[in-house]
Each structure stands twice: as structure tokens, then as C-alpha cells.
Amino acid sequence: MSLETTYQPAQIEDKWYAYWLEHKLFAARPNPDKEPYSIVIPPPNVTGVLHMGHMLNNTLQDVLIRRARMRGYEACWVPGTDHASIATEAKVVALLKEQGLSKESLGREAFLEHAFAWKEKYGGIILEQLKKLGASCDWDRTRFTMEPELYQSVVDVFVDLYDKGRIYRGIRMVNWDPQGRTALSDDEVLHKEVERKMYYVRYRFAEGEGFLTVATVRPETIMADVAVAVHPTDERYAGLIGRKVLIPLIDKPIPIIADDYVDPAFGTGCLKVTPAHDPNDYAIGMRHGLEVIDLLNEDGTLNEQAQIHVGEDRFAARKSIALELEASGLLEKTESVRSSVGFSERTDAVVEPRLSTQWFLKIGDLVPPALERVLDDTIQLHPPKFKNMYRVWMENVRDWCISRQLWWGHRIPAWHGPDGRVVVARNEAEARSRWQAEYGPLDGPLVQDPDVLDTWFSSWLWPISVFDPQVFRTGKPNETLRYFYPTRDLITAPEILFFWVARMVMAGYEYLDEAPFKNVYLTGIVRDKLGRKMSKSLGNSPDPLQLIEQFGADGVRTGMLFSSPAGNDLLYDEKLVEQGRNFANKVWNAFRLVDGWPSATVEVGQAELEAMAWFEARMAQGLSEIDRCFEEYRLADALMAVYKLVWDDFCAWYLEAVKPPFGAPIAASVLEHTRHFFEVLLRIMHPFMPFLTEELWHRIGSRAAGESICTSPWPVLGSFNPELIARFETDRAIVVGVRALRNEKNLSPKESLRLFHSPGADFDRGLVTKMAHVSEPEATDTAPEQSASFRVGQHEFYVPLSGLIDPEAEIKKLKSEKDYLEGFKRSVQAKLQNERFVGSAPAEVVQRERDKLADADSKISAIDALVHALEASK
């Protein structure tokens, strides 16, 4: 079949993805004859659409799973989506608002019907987009964290951990998202350095004249103050401890207390104590038995406890109160400060510390095996620099707040009786039974807890639940879980190392006594050329689907990986995907070249024999390097090794070496070898460039229906002769030297030149003769007259120029070059005559300078000889 003159990725990509799906080439099942290799996708939010981070993460997963499939593993990549409680509920609430509805007016059941309808309509978009990228997931295994089986697994785990005494309900200071109106775990709070105002507020003494000045960034909470604290050793305030001051604007008296927490050097050394709105203040309040006054509603507006500005938003109240303090003479001054402020990861709202009744999981007992198995490399982090970060976090864990004040999610399986007591059970019938067993007859209705569980409480079960959701209840893994668990690799981002990775490890050891994966590859963040994180608000994030349309999926995949070493951020530049597209075009055109060569049974030339021997060794060496990069999880380096092997060695050198003269046939055996090399290279490239390689693999040989490069064997090339490779490097250097002389002297590439060399030079004469377009190289003890020279290793090579150049112009050019070298030589001599430099610099640095001097002398001598010969010939 004819080959199009240009590579058209859109036509090829749709064709081959449909082919892969039709023949179920990504399907995996337990197979006792094969070793398993499994990856579970980090489930993207059901609200999500493909962004650059997804592109990088899923390309890496696909590269690993495709190579594993080719290596003969039963390769299983499980896809799925996460229900994303906060994000999805916010989407649905916004949609209802456009329709003039609210979730409260609908009620829980009707709201959930709307949410599931939204999920069915939009929830699969990102998975369909991943197919455009070439993701080779087993789509028949697609999971959703709120599908019935996985929903039940979450309930089973909650009940189990509650029965073990690890889940409890209590009043704690939590992170509160006023926009999402829900509690957040510590890990869901992002801390940012922001510019804020520090207000210096005067608290008048309740009796007598004078005041204390207190520095605060939150004047809107002063109405909830219950004390002013000073350090017990601060001499400025020693005589004031026990006296009272008046809260500004409402004149409520509060005591001056002493507490070691206060930093005398911060602000004025006086701290307003507001236990309901600061965790440190709460701790002080507990130590001193102080009242707790909460003046904020769930949405961040002031409530009746504030007495003033009731119903006003907290930030609007801050401005209003600052103006009133100033008007009352109670605002001494303000100043700008930079400090860390917590923001909700999901809504970007400023988080409020808030006392709230929540459900918590005690994870202290779950930590030891999860920490130990990372530190001893049972689970390996790539790169390992993240081990210390993991250790620090695991050694400082706090109880996990697992309840969220939402409707979309896994509803907490707890039932409240009329007297406030609680039972935890899988369903209401079981709850009634448990109530009877624990408390006796039930006098009234049971009401299920309205809260849902933190999204991560389902995600931490993902590597287990996708294979066997029932195991948490039965304790007996099914065949699929026994076969595919533990998974081999997890590809994820460092920012969820604790959110997700650590918790999955805890769940793995708690329920299966085994790690959920063996390797964790941590990607970097995709940033723009200026180093900024890509975001919609900055407008610096390209649309991945448009990139695929413009550059092809293979071009985008390789472009993303060219500069994305594990753990380091990727500075995205469109030139990267252009480079990826150009690579695809290079391979396409190389195949067109080879496919267009006529062949005949003719004698194989010396150049071709030498080239075939070299490339066979070079390909084995390259594959060895690529395999080593994969083993070390240096996937960007693996791609670069593929790129150099294909572009530099095969296309630029090997094909040039075996290419027949224009119009002449190539030896049939050489073409056979060349097509074999090409087919092996296609298999090596396939994990990175699946579409292009599938197309060319089908064109390069006869294939049966259902055959695919996806399941063709990964090459195993064995040992290679390094001397052949080293010898070709000499050949390459000689050819480059001759070509450089042609460019320098403006000699036509069609002009056959004579080539001489000093005795003992060892190189492939056939290759050099053909590729440098020179006559049979000859050895000589002396430089031929009027010859230009270059050096390769320890040997000189000469190209006679008599009759090829203008002597006058060449002499002028050579003298100019000599002037430059003389100047360079003087600068090196000056450095070597500097005793301080010679005495203090490392020996190898001094030797490099001496080598530069010797090289300059050699070049000057060669120029002098050539100038002398040219002048003698005039």
C-alpha cells in the first residue's frame, strides 16, 4: 500500500485506537502462565477535564504498561474516576442555582438524583479524553468510587475501624471551609504567604487610666476575645497580670493572664485570646478554663455572638471594624506584614479554625508498617529524595478528620437515637439490631448522620477495592485481587504523597498485610516557561486536546517527556511538542526512504558491511541503556536514549551509510537487515509513540488480523562488541572532519577529495570513503603540500587543497585565524605564569590549561606550514 508523503496523525490515531479496542488488546485477566503487572490510575475527579498534569501523569503510566505488555507480563491498567465530594457538590449547586433551585429546597434524595444525573452526563469526559492520548487501560475494569460495590466497601471499612476503636466522634478545632461549608483535614489546607494588615488595637483598662496595645491581623474577631495574654517573664507587663481590660467597641471586661505560649518579641508582646477562632488560643483557653465564644456562622458571616455587624461577611466586617476603631481612637497604627494563610485546596477560600463536632480516625496505630516499609525500600520512592519528607510527615501525624458537611459522597454509616446516643452499622436494620444489643429497646426513630466521608477515605482503598470490593467484609481476597495485588507501579504527584499515597500504604497493611505497590514514581509540576504553575486563571495552560490535534498524540507524549525527570518540575514550552512532532515526522520519512529503495541481488559493499555490523552493536548498546533507564525509573532519559538511537544513529548515520546511489538498487540482504533494524526500533519506540509505531509496524511486514505491535515482544538483543562502537566513533569523527573542511573551504559535497592520514590510524575505510566522499585513504609520514588538516585521537588527517581553493584568499583567512590563536595562546600563557593560579588550582584544571597551550601551538604550526606551502605554490 502506498505511503502518504506526510504523516497525518489524526487519521492514524482514530484508526488504531478503534483497532486496539475491537481486539481487546488492553484486556487483562488472571493468567497462571504469566507474571502480573498492574497499575491503578490515580482516579481523576469526575468533574475533571484533561489538563497538562493529567497528560504527563498518564503518558508515564502508559509508557510503563505498554512496555510491560510487550515484555510478556499480564499487564493490567485499571481506570476510574473519583466522586470528588466538594468539587462535584459545588458544580451541582451552581447548576441548580441557575435553575432557581437550592439543595436545601430539594432535599437530600432529590439533590442526589440531580448529582448522579450530572455525573452520568459529564463524569466520563476525562476518560474519553485519555483515549485520545493513547491510554491503554483495560476499560472494561473502569471503576467509580461511588458505584454500589465500592460504596459498600467504604461503609464496611468505616464499621470495621469503628468496631476496632479507631474511629470516634468528638468536638475538635477543625479547618473550616466557609465557601464549601465543610470541615477539611490538615492535608486539604494549602498555606500561602500573603500580604496582610497588622492592626495595633488599644484595649483600655477596666479601672483607671491607660491601655494595652494588642497587635492582630483579625480585628473582626475581637468581640469573641476572652483574655489578653502576656508572657510571665515579660517585665513590661508583670504588674498588670490579673487586671482587666475592655474589649474595644463593646466594652466587655476580660482578664490579663500569663501564658508561656506568648512571644514577647512579636507585635507588642500582648496576645488577644480568642479560643473559638485560633487553635493556639484554644489551647490557652483550655489551660486557663476560659469561655469559648464562636462569632462566625458556617458561611463566614458574623452571628449574634458578635453583637455588632451581625450577618456581615468576615472580611467586610474587618474593614468596618477597623474604621470604627480608628474613629474611636482605639486604632494606634497599621502596618503591612507577610504571613502564612491557609486556603481550601478545593474552593480556595480562606480557611477558618472552628470548633465542630466531627468524626475522626486515629491513625497512629496504622503508621508503623507504612513508615517502615518505605524507609527500608520495600516500597521505593522515585526519586528517593522524597523519603525524608514522607518520614517527617508520618512521624508527626494527627488524627484524621474524616467527616464532611456535604451530601454528595459516602454517607457516614452512623445512626443517632432520640437520646443522642449513636450506633455504627452497615444499614438501618443492622443499626436497630446493634442498638438493641448495646442499649436495649429503642424508644423513637433512628436518624442517619447527615455528613459524608472525606473523599480520601474511599481513595485510600483504591488499589484493593478496584479488584475486590468485598474483601473488607469477607477477609478473603478473590482471584483477581490475589493475582494483581500488589500493583507494580504508582505514578502520582508529590503533593498527594500524604493525602493519598501514605494512606493507601496504611490501608494495604491494615487489610492485606502487604504494600499496595512496589514503586512510587513522583512527577513534577507542569509549569510555563516563566516557572509559573499552569492554571486557567493565569491563562497559561494550553488545551491538551488542541495540542493533540495540532501536533499528534505521539508528538505531545514525547514532547511532555523530553524534559520531565522524576520529581522535578517540567518547564513546558510548545517547542517541546514541536520537537516531538518533528521526531514522528523524521521516523515517517525514514520509513518512506527505506520503503522506496529498489533492491537486487548484488554484491554488498564494504561500507554497507561495516555499517550493518556497527549498527547491530549500537542498537544492542542503546537498548541496554534504555532498559537500565527503565529499571531506574529515569523515563525521560530512556526517551532521550531512544531519540538519539533513532534520529542520530539510525537516520543520520546508518541510513546514509547504506543508501544506494541515486537510481541504483540496494543489495537485497542490506535492505533486509535495514528493515529488520527498523522493525526492532519501532518496538523500542512503541511505549512512547504507540500510534506511529503501530502504523509503520503493519506496513513493514505482513500481519494477521488482530496482530499488534502492542503485544509484539520487547526486543532482547544481548551482548555487543564495544570495539565496533568505538571504531565507528572514529569513523564518524573523520567524516565530520572532512565535512567541516568542505564547509570551511566552500568545497562542493559532490567533489571527491583525497584523504591522507598519519601511519597507524585504524578506521573503517569503506564507511569513510563513502560517507566523506573521498578516494581510498592513504597513509603518509609527512603532510602533503597545500593540505588542510584535522586531528582525530592521536592521528592527523590531511586533505590536499591544490587546485581547489584561491591561495591568496586562503592565506588571508589562515593568517586571521593565526592572529586569533596567538591571542588565545597569550591569555593561556598569562594564566600559567600566574604562580597563585598554578599553586591553588586543582591539578586537573592546570593540566587543562597546559593542554590548551599545546593545542594552540600545534594549530599555529599547522597554519604556518599550510601558509608556507600556499605561498610557495604561487
Side-chain angles (χ1 to χ4, degrees):
M1 51 187 165
S2 62
L3 195 66
E4 293 79 0
T5 55
T6 57
Y7 177 46
Q8 302 294 333
Q11 302 169 11
I12 287 171
E13 289 164 7
D14 290 343
K15 175 180 73 173
W16 288 118
Y17 206 89
Y19 179 89
W20 295 333
L21 293 181
E22 177 189 354
H23 294 285
K24 292 196 172 293
L25 294 169
F26 308 150
R29 57 182 176 79
N31 184 344
D33 298 327
K34 295 172 74 174
E35 187 177 343
Y37 183 109
S38 55
I39 295 177
V40 292
I41 199 171
N45 287 353
V46 73
T47 60
V49 292
L50 201 63
H51 59 59
M52 299 300 282
H54 293 133
M55 294 274 279
L56 173 61
N57 184 291
N58 287 281
T59 295
L60 289 165
Q61 292 177 79
D62 196 47
V63 167
L64 290 174
I65 206 76
R66 284 182 181 274
R67 180 171 177 269
R69 195 176 286 120
M70 297 175 75
R71 293 178 71 203
Y73 290 95
E74 187 68 17
C76 179
W77 183 12
V78 181
T81 51
D82 187 278
H83 63 283
S85 290
I86 298 175
T88 305
E89 183 149 322
K91 290 265 189 185
V92 177
V93 167
L95 183 65
L96 291 172
K97 188 176 181 180
E98 291 175 5
Q99 301 170 12
L101 299 171
S102 70
K103 73 175 192 177
E104 291 79 12
S105 66
L106 283 172
R108 187 172 197 129
E109 295 307 315
F111 173 78
L112 290 176
E113 288 177 10
H114 279 272
F116 272 107
W118 184 93
K119 178 262 175 187
E120 289 304 313
K121 185 174 182 179
Y122 300 105
I125 289 176
I126 192 167
L127 298 183
E128 291 303 312
Q129 291 174 327
L130 286 176
K131 294 176 182 179
K132 289 289 187 183
L133 185 65
S136 58
C137 300
D138 184 349
W139 296 107
D140 292 338
R141 292 186 179 276
T142 302
R143 291 290 201 174
F144 173 54
T145 51
M146 275 180 62
E147 67 181 74
E149 283 191 317
L150 269 64
Y151 192 108
Q152 187 58 50
S153 70
V154 172
V155 171
D156 290 339
V157 168
F158 186 98
V159 173
D160 175 66
L161 292 174
Y162 180 84
D163 289 345
K164 291 174 178 175
R166 288 180 175 161
I167 288 179
Y168 65 93
R169 188 168 182 258
I171 299 175
R172 296 287 187 278
M173 176 78 64
V174 298
N175 305 297
W176 185 261
D177 179 347
Q179 185 173 327
R181 299 194 190 187
T182 183
L184 305 172
S185 68
D186 291 340
D187 304 323
E188 292 171 299
V189 179
L190 304 179
H191 291 275
K192 306 176 189 178
E193 287 289 319
V194 298
E195 194 83 20
R196 307 170 79 188
K197 274 189 178 180
M198 180 75 80
Y199 299 86
Y200 287 77
V201 182
R202 291 173 175 172
Y203 287 61
R204 293 194 179 99
F205 291 120
E207 296 179 357
E209 299 296 319
F211 54 83
L212 281 181
T213 301
V214 177
T216 179
V217 293
R218 303 205 60 190
E220 72 277 12
T221 65
I222 61 174
M223 296 81 74
D225 291 351
V226 294
V228 172
V230 297
H231 196 276
T233 63
D234 193 334
E235 296 179 357
R236 293 174 295 175
Y237 307 114
L240 300 177
I241 297 169
R243 292 185 64 180
K244 291 188 175 183
V245 292
L246 299 175
I247 295 177
L249 303 183
I250 64 172
D251 289 340
K252 178 182 176 181
I254 56 175
I256 300 171
I257 63 173
D259 194 276
D260 289 334
Y261 172 76
V262 180
D263 180 2
F266 179 79
T268 64
C270 298
L271 175 72
K272 63 189 286 295
V273 180
T274 320
H277 299 291
D278 184 277
N280 298 310
D281 291 10
Y282 181 72
I284 294 173
M286 292 300 98
R287 286 195 291 272
H288 293 268
L290 299 173
E291 182 184 9
V292 178
I293 302 171
D294 183 355
L295 56 64
L296 288 178
N297 293 312
E298 290 185 354
D299 62 356
T301 57
L302 273 60
N303 62 29
E304 287 76 10
Q305 295 275 22
Q307 303 181 42
I308 57 177
H309 298 284
V310 175
E312 200 169 316
D313 178 75
R314 53 186 169 153
F315 297 123
R318 178 180 299 175
K319 294 179 180 178
S320 301
I321 288 170
L323 291 172
E324 291 177 26
L325 288 170
E326 186 174 22
S328 303
L330 298 176
L331 183 61
E332 191 169 293
K333 64 175 181 176
T334 62
E335 61 184 25
S336 292
V337 295
R338 288 193 68 79
S339 61
S340 179
V341 176
F343 290 81
S344 167
E345 183 203 25
R346 296 296 184 193
T347 66
D348 203 38
V350 174
V351 169
E352 284 289 343
R354 190 167 193 261
L355 281 173
S356 179
T357 300
Q358 302 289 342
W359 291 88
F360 296 87
L361 170 60
K362 294 185 282 189
I363 60 175
D365 293 343
L366 303 176
V367 165
L371 174 58
E372 184 179 342
R373 293 300 171 258
V374 169
L375 295 183
D376 70 10
D377 286 334
T378 300
I379 301 169
Q380 294 191 11
L381 304 186
H382 304 276
K385 68 180 182 180
F386 288 106
K387 281 174 69 172
N388 190 53
M389 184 190 300
Y390 181 92
R391 178 187 62 78
V392 170
W393 185 82
M394 292 290 273
E395 290 176 348
N396 294 277
V397 294
R398 290 191 280 182
D399 289 356
W400 176 9
C401 176
I402 57 175
S403 49
R404 298 291 181 269
Q405 288 62 57
L406 301 165
W407 287 355
W408 174 252
H410 303 85
R411 193 169 180 180
I412 290 175
W415 276 260
H416 300 260
D419 57 1
R421 289 183 294 183
V422 177
V423 290
V424 168
R426 291 177 175 84
N427 51 55
E428 186 174 349
E430 185 178 295
R432 289 183 177 278
S433 176
R434 285 195 172 205
W435 185 283
Q436 179 71 27
E438 291 182 34
Y439 305 129
L442 176 64
D443 183 21
L446 280 179
V447 179
Q448 188 174 356
D449 197 289
D451 292 351
V452 299
L453 287 161
D454 178 10
T455 297
W456 298 106
F457 196 85
S458 55
S459 300
W460 77 320
L461 309 176
W462 187 250
I464 303 173
S465 62
V466 295
F467 296 120
D468 184 3
Q470 286 80 34
V471 71
F472 304 105
R473 180 185 295 189
T474 66
K476 297 178 181 179
N478 65 15
E479 180 190 17
T480 304
L481 182 62
R482 288 196 305 271
Y483 184 75
F484 285 117
Y485 188 95
T487 64
R488 180 66 64 92
D489 299 314
L490 176 73
I491 314 294
T492 190
E495 54 261 37
I496 56 173
L497 182 59
F498 316 121
F499 275 142
W500 191 43
V501 178
R503 289 169 178 163
M504 284 190 289
V505 178
M506 293 179 196
Y509 281 103
E510 175 68 12
Y511 287 102
L512 296 177
D513 196 28
E514 193 170 7
F517 27 71
K518 298 175 182 177
N519 299 282
V520 180
Y521 180 104
L522 296 157
T523 66
I525 296 171
V526 183
R527 300 183 181 275
D528 65 14
K529 289 185 289 186
L530 302 177
R532 302 174 302 175
K533 186 174 180 178
M534 287 189 165
S535 69
K536 290 181 181 178
S537 60
L538 288 175
N540 63 346
S541 182
D543 180 340
L545 294 181
Q546 288 182 3
L547 286 179
I548 290 173
E549 185 178 337
Q550 184 177 357
F551 297 102
D554 291 332
V556 175
R557 288 166 65 108
T558 51
M560 292 290 289
L561 294 186
F562 274 133
S563 62
S564 58
N568 292 332
D569 292 350
L570 183 155
L571 294 181
Y572 173 79
D573 188 328
E574 196 167 281
K575 290 178 181 177
L576 291 170
V577 290
E578 286 178 6
Q579 184 181 0
R581 179 192 59 191
N582 293 344
F583 185 32
N585 287 336
K586 184 74 172 181
V587 175
W588 181 266
N589 289 328
F591 183 79
R592 287 184 65 237
L593 175 70
V594 172
D595 199 50
W597 284 341
S599 66
T601 305
V602 296
E603 185 179 353
V604 179
Q606 185 64 27
E608 289 76 13
L609 288 171
E610 292 165 352
M612 289 189 295
W614 160 71
F615 191 72
E616 187 168 21
R618 173 68 189 102
M619 190 161 63
Q621 181 196 45
L623 181 61
S624 174
E625 180 186 354
I626 291 160
D627 284 338
R628 185 170 61 254
C629 289
F630 271 108
E631 289 168 10
E632 297 171 357
Y633 289 84
R634 295 186 291 112
L635 303 192
D637 292 340
L639 173 60
M640 190 51 65
V642 171
Y643 181 85
K644 290 178 179 177
L645 178 64
V646 174
W647 188 302
D648 296 346
D649 296 316
F650 184 71
C651 296
W653 287 94
Y654 173 78
L655 292 182
E656 285 296 311
V658 301
K659 183 170 67 175
F662 182 73
I666 190 172
S669 62
V670 176
L671 182 59
E672 182 181 348
H673 272 82
T674 302
R675 292 175 74 88
H676 166 69
F677 291 153
F678 212 130
E679 194 273 343
V680 173
L681 290 175
L682 288 174
R683 285 185 277 144
I684 294 173
M685 286 186 283
H686 175 71
F688 300 99
M689 310 176 78
F691 294 107
L692 171 70
T693 53
E694 186 75 80
E695 175 73 16
L696 296 182
W697 188 79
H698 278 265
R699 288 177 180 267
I700 207 168
S702 177
R703 314 296 177 193
E707 274 195 286
S708 169
I709 194 172
C710 292
T711 50
S712 65
W714 180 256
V716 178
L717 300 181
S719 60
F720 55 89
N721 185 349
E723 292 180 5
L724 278 175
I725 295 169
R727 185 181 179 88
F728 184 82
E729 290 308 310
T730 300
D731 302 341
R732 193 193 317 246
I734 296 168
V735 173
V736 168
V738 173
R739 290 175 177 175
L741 277 177
R742 286 185 187 274
N743 289 335
E744 183 184 344
K745 309 302 181 185
N746 293 319
L747 302 177
S748 168
K750 296 180 180 180
E751 182 91 43
S752 180
L753 304 176
R754 296 183 69 192
L755 180 66
F756 293 84
H757 59 84
S758 56
D762 185 25
F763 57 94
D764 293 312
R765 295 174 179 274
L767 264 174
V768 169
T769 299
K770 181 176 181 179
M771 298 192 74
H773 193 27
V774 295
S775 59
E776 177 69 23
E778 304 171 52
T780 180
D781 290 317
T782 58
E785 290 187 0
Q786 296 186 41
S787 62
S789 68
F790 58 89
R791 193 174 187 84
V792 175
Q794 301 299 314
H795 294 279
E796 290 288 338
F797 289 79
Y798 309 95
V799 175
L801 300 175
S802 178
L804 299 175
I805 59 172
D806 178 354
E808 290 290 349
E810 187 65 19
I811 289 171
K812 184 177 180 181
K813 182 178 178 182
L814 289 169
K815 286 183 176 179
S816 174
E817 186 177 342
K818 180 181 177 181
D819 289 341
Y820 168 78
L821 287 169
E822 292 281 11
F824 175 75
K825 177 180 173 181
R826 285 192 295 272
S827 69
V828 176
Q829 285 174 327
K831 190 178 287 188
L832 290 171
Q833 288 165 2
N834 184 331
E835 293 180 2
R836 186 174 177 183
F837 167 75
V838 175
S840 61
E844 61 270 20
V845 173
V846 175
Q847 185 57 48
R848 267 201 304 272
E849 296 302 314
R850 288 176 177 149
D851 292 344
K852 289 179 185 177
L853 185 62
D855 184 58
D857 280 334
S858 174
K859 289 178 177 176
I860 289 170
S861 297
I863 288 173
D864 285 341
L866 187 52
V867 169
H868 177 74
L870 288 169
E871 287 178 337
S873 69
K874 289 193 295 184

